């Protein structure tokens, strides 16, 4: 399994340069604000999102290079191949969040933002969203391939988001109630994310065991 | 002892089926799998590697069930697919670093010697490699964990004759060890004529013949004649025949008997390509 993970990191190392670009993007609003009102959660959110995207990129590279076929000629069980994808995705999400938090800490030290309880709440939400995203993306890719899954994931994320925006625009969403539910959600969502990850892994193993490549 | 045994393997897709395929690859030999595109060569190899599952039949590798002992078997197999399968951003040393962590028996020194002998650039990324270089790298990677069995799916197609010749020499070196075997699928029959010990010919998902290559080339022949002489040839003496603007070409499975029986008809030796063409395009008398 170490070989599979090493392949992932060596293969996408050029993408790590992208993080430098992302960090630069995060700094632009700081420079614009110049008054310490920059939200630290923005940097963490962007870096975590890139971490989630690494999961897609890895599958995309596998398909493009035909590694997805070649890996089945190597001495791995199909469970190990699935497990390596989950491990890699979780590591990349962790790296993304870690970078985002580190950047926020640097900005806070420079007096450009604040690391408060709200920031930790945001990080908790982002971690839960990342777990749910990975749980959704991996079995979809194993089942439908990268291209179809990308469209399915966009639809799954966009539809509820747009519905919420539309409802909020019509005044149908009680802002105070949503804000009141946030602390409870912050406790429940990470548990849901972890549970989803376990279920997702089992589904992926089931799909991949039957898959003919 | 056989390295590979296919026993009555069948696999059905919507528009294609591999039916009742049986053949074996004796240890210490090279088996060439020939047939036109879509004959079932790649399907047979994917079944062997458990990438797809057979509907019926069994496959044994090194005397073990290929699915039940998959990991143990794959530790001892080197596989080269038609396309290179490594990320284009990698270099030779990256490929070695990955495979070192995958195969218990990986030999870095052996890999380096292949890279050097093949003249592969160590500091270039694979995206800068030519097709020949990529294929040589795939072969170096497949051989550097010292496998007992090499499986190649159309590995020489699209390569120039010089590179193909270099690669065939590597296969012949590999087979010097009597414990080693090679299963190679190709539609470049001239390559297989040079190196293969046995030939299995697939057509339409079925095994048309599976024989010792030398015996096959020794026994098969082509009778070339006009319509008058062709009418005199017994149907039982002809496997397949083809009519062209220049006359008839009839494939016989017993060249010596045909020479005695039809001394006035021109009789040529049959190459693998002739056998393949007549089996596929020819008619029965």
């Amino acid at each position: 399994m170490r070989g599979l993970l090493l392949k992932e990191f060596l293969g996408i190392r050029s993408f790590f340069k992208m993080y430098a670009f992302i960090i630069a993007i995060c700094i632009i609003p700081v420079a614009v604000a110049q008054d310490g009102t920059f939200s630290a959660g923005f940097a963490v959110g962007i870096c975590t999102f890139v971490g989630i995207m690494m999961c897609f990129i890895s599958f995309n590279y596998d398909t493009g290079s035909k590694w997805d076929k070649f890996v089945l000629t190597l001495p791995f069980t199909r469970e190990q191949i699935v497990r390596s994808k989950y491990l890699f995705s979780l590591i990349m999400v962790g790296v993304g969040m870690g970078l985002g938090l580190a950047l926020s800490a640097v900005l806070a030290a420079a007096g450009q933002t604040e690391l408060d309880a709200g920031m930790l709440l945001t990080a908790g939400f982002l971690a839960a969203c990342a777990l749910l995203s990975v749980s959704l993306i991996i079995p979809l890719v194993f089942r439908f391939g990268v291209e179809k899954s990308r469209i399915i994931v966009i639809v799954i994320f966009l539809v509820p988001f747009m519905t919420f925006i539309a409802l909020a625009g019509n005044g149908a969403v009680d802002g105070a109630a949503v804000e009141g539910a946030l602390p409870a959600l912050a406790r429940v969502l990470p548990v849901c994310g972890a549970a989803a990850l376990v279920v997702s892994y089992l589904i992926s193993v089931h799909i991949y065991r039957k898959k003919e490549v | 002892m056989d390295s590979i045994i296919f026993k009555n393997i069948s696999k059905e897709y919507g528009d294609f089926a591999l039916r009742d395929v049986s053949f074996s690859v004796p240890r210490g030999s090279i088996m060439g799998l020939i047939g036109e595109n879509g004959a079932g060569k790649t399907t047979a190899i994917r079944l062997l590697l458990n990438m797809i599952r057979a509907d019926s039949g069994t496959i044994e590798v090194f005397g073990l069930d290929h699915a039940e002992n998959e990991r143990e078997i794959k530790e001892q197999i080197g596989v080269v697919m038609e396309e290179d399968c490594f990320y284009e951003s990698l270099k030779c040393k990256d490929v070695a670093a990955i495979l070192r962590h995958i195969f218990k028996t990986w030999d870095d020194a052996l890999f380096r010697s292949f890279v050097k002998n093949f003249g592969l650039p160590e500091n270039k990324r694979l995206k800068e490699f030519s097709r020949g270089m990529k294929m040589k790298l795939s072969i170096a990677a497949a051989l550097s964990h010292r496998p007992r069995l090499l499986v190649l799916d159309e590995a020489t197609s699209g390569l120039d004759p010089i590179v193909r010749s270099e690669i065939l020499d590597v296969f012949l070196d590999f087979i010097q060890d009597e414990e080693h075997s090679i299963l190679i699928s190709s539609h470049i029959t001239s390559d297989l004529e040079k190196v293969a010990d046995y030939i299995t010919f697939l057509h339409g998902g079925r095994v048309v013949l599976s024989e010792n290559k030398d015996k096959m080339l020794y026994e098969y022949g082509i009778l070339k004649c006009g319509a008058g002489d062709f009418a005199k040839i017994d149907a039982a003496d002809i496997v397949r025949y083809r009519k062209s603007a220049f006359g008839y070409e009839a494939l016989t499975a017993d060249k010596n008997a045909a020479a005695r029986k039809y001394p006035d008809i021109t009789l040529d030796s049959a190459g693998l390509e002739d056998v393949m063409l007549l089996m596929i395009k020819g008619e029965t008398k």
Side-chain angles (χ1 to χ4, degrees):
Chain A
M1 183 113 97
R2 280 171 65 197
L4 289 178
L5 287 174
L6 189 63
K7 184 273 300 178
E8 302 282 7
F9 290 113
L10 288 174
I12 58 129
R13 69 190 148 185
S14 56
F15 257 90
F16 283 103
K17 290 175 193 160
M18 196 171 144
Y19 270 117
F21 178 67
I22 298 295
I23 289 167
I25 286 178
C26 292
I27 290 172
I28 292 169
V30 180
V32 172
Q34 285 280 327
D35 57 1
T37 58
F38 171 70
S39 166
F42 177 72
V44 183
I46 292 286
C47 289
T48 306
F49 177 74
V50 175
I52 296 167
M53 284 301 102
M54 287 295 182
C55 173
F56 260 132
I57 290 164
S58 156
F59 276 109
N60 212 18
Y61 271 36
D62 283 359
T63 310
S65 67
K66 307 280 185 288
W67 174 272
D68 56 341
K69 291 184 174 68
F70 184 67
V71 72
L72 287 172
T73 73
L74 300 173
F76 293 110
T77 61
R78 292 197 178 214
E79 287 82 350
Q80 283 177 311
I81 296 167
V82 171
R83 210 177 305 147
S84 75
K85 283 293 176 198
Y86 277 87
L87 263 177
F88 172 71
S89 302
L90 292 177
I91 291 169
M92 291 318 295
V93 164
V95 167
M97 284 202 84
L99 271 173
L101 287 167
L103 179 63
S104 300
V106 170
L107 291 174
Q112 294 297 320
T113 188
E114 281 182 20
L115 291 179
D116 52 13
M119 163 71 205
L120 289 175
L121 197 67
T122 307
F125 272 119
L126 287 170
C129 287
L131 290 181
L132 288 169
S133 303
V134 168
S135 304
L136 186 69
I137 291 168
I138 295 181
L140 279 176
V141 176
F142 275 127
R143 178 66 181 82
F144 299 108
V146 179
E147 293 307 319
K148 280 185 190 166
S149 302
R150 197 175 285 152
I151 295 163
I152 296 169
V153 168
I154 289 171
V155 171
I156 288 173
F157 280 96
L158 268 188
V159 168
F161 180 71
M162 297 306 280
T163 309
F164 181 81
I165 296 289
L167 289 174
N170 290 336
V173 176
D174 182 351
V178 171
E179 211 162 299
L182 285 181
L185 277 175
R187 283 192 294 275
V188 172
L189 272 182
V191 177
C192 291
L197 201 64
V198 174
V199 174
S200 164
Y201 172 73
L202 295 174
I203 292 171
S204 293
V205 168
H206 180 73
I207 292 169
Y208 198 54
R209 262 193 198 143
K210 291 189 168 181
K211 190 163 184 168
E212 299 205 322
V213 180
Chain B
M1 179 79 179
D2 294 320
S3 288
I4 302 171
I5 303 173
F6 270 62
K7 266 188 213 158
N8 311 110
I9 287 289
S10 294
K11 171 75 181 173
E12 187 146 0
Y13 292 107
D15 54 349
F16 171 76
L18 207 62
R19 291 195 197 284
D20 205 24
V21 168
S22 297
F23 67 89
S24 56
V25 181
R27 191 179 287 182
S29 71
I30 299 180
M31 167 66 82
L33 211 50
I34 62 169
E36 77 276 26
N37 290 334
K41 305 186 296 287
T42 299
T43 303
I45 286 178
R46 286 162 72 203
L47 283 161
L48 169 73
L49 297 168
N50 207 25
M51 295 163 84
I52 54 175
R53 275 105 187 173
D55 298 332
S56 60
T58 58
I59 299 172
E60 283 181 19
V61 182
F62 310 130
L64 303 167
D65 181 272
H66 82 303
E68 283 174 21
N69 304 277
E70 189 174 357
R71 283 190 73 188
E72 186 185 343
I73 289 168
K74 286 183 177 175
E75 276 284 353
Q76 302 173 71
I77 298 185
V79 180
V80 181
M81 317 280 265
E82 187 176 3
E83 292 149 314
D84 56 301
C85 300
F86 299 108
Y87 286 9
E88 296 222 308
S89 58
L90 300 179
K91 295 178 180 176
C92 287
K93 62 174 182 177
D94 299 326
V95 172
I98 292 165
L99 295 176
R100 190 185 305 138
H101 288 94
I102 290 176
F103 290 102
K104 291 174 193 158
T105 50
W106 179 261
D107 185 337
D108 264 324
L110 184 60
F111 181 75
R112 279 197 301 274
S113 76
F114 276 124
V115 167
K116 192 180 166 199
N117 292 338
F118 284 151
L120 298 175
E122 293 187 58
N123 294 317
K124 282 189 179 174
R125 297 189 189 282
L126 301 196
K127 63 182 166 196
E128 296 172 66
F129 278 31
S130 65
R131 163 136 174 85
M133 285 174 177
K134 284 178 181 173
M135 197 44 68
K136 285 176 180 175
L137 175 65
S138 294
I139 289 166
L143 288 171
S144 295
H145 64 283
R146 300 190 177 281
R148 287 166 64 195
L149 170 66
L150 196 56
V151 178
L152 305 118
D153 186 13
E154 300 288 358
T156 57
S157 55
L159 300 179
D160 67 59
I162 309 294
V163 175
R164 289 209 326 263
S165 168
E166 272 182 81
I167 288 174
L168 295 180
D169 285 343
V170 173
F171 298 162
L172 290 172
D173 269 352
F174 176 76
I175 212 71
Q176 292 306 306
D177 186 327
E178 288 182 0
E179 286 295 304
H180 291 175
S181 318
I182 298 178
L183 174 65
I184 174 170
S185 89
S186 179
H187 50 246
I188 305 175
T189 49
S190 58
D191 286 352
L192 298 180
E193 271 184 19
K194 282 181 200 159
V195 299
D197 300 300
Y198 296 89
I199 294 293
T200 293
F201 176 22
L202 287 169
H203 174 51
R206 291 179 190 275
V207 174
V208 177
L209 56 89
S210 187
E211 277 187 32
N212 180 295
K213 180 200 73 184
D214 290 338
K215 184 170 175 275
M216 196 174 135
L217 294 181
Y218 179 75
E219 289 181 351
Y220 279 80
I222 297 177
L223 292 155
K224 294 181 175 174
C225 54
D229 282 336
F230 181 73
K232 293 177 197 163
I233 301 173
D234 285 343
D237 295 329
I238 295 174
V239 181
R240 292 277 196 285
Y241 78 92
R242 198 165 61 152
K243 189 185 170 190
S244 70
F246 306 104
Y248 285 84
E249 285 184 335
L251 182 71
T252 172
D254 192 342
K255 189 166 62 183
N256 295 326
R260 285 192 299 272
K261 198 167 173 183
Y262 310 106
D264 299 329
I265 298 177
T266 306
L267 180 62
D268 289 344
S269 294
L272 284 180
E273 194 167 319
D274 300 316
V275 175
M276 202 168 118
L277 267 172
L278 277 157
M279 286 284 200
I280 294 169
K281 296 281 184 190
E283 299 168 49
T284 48
K285 192 175 181 185

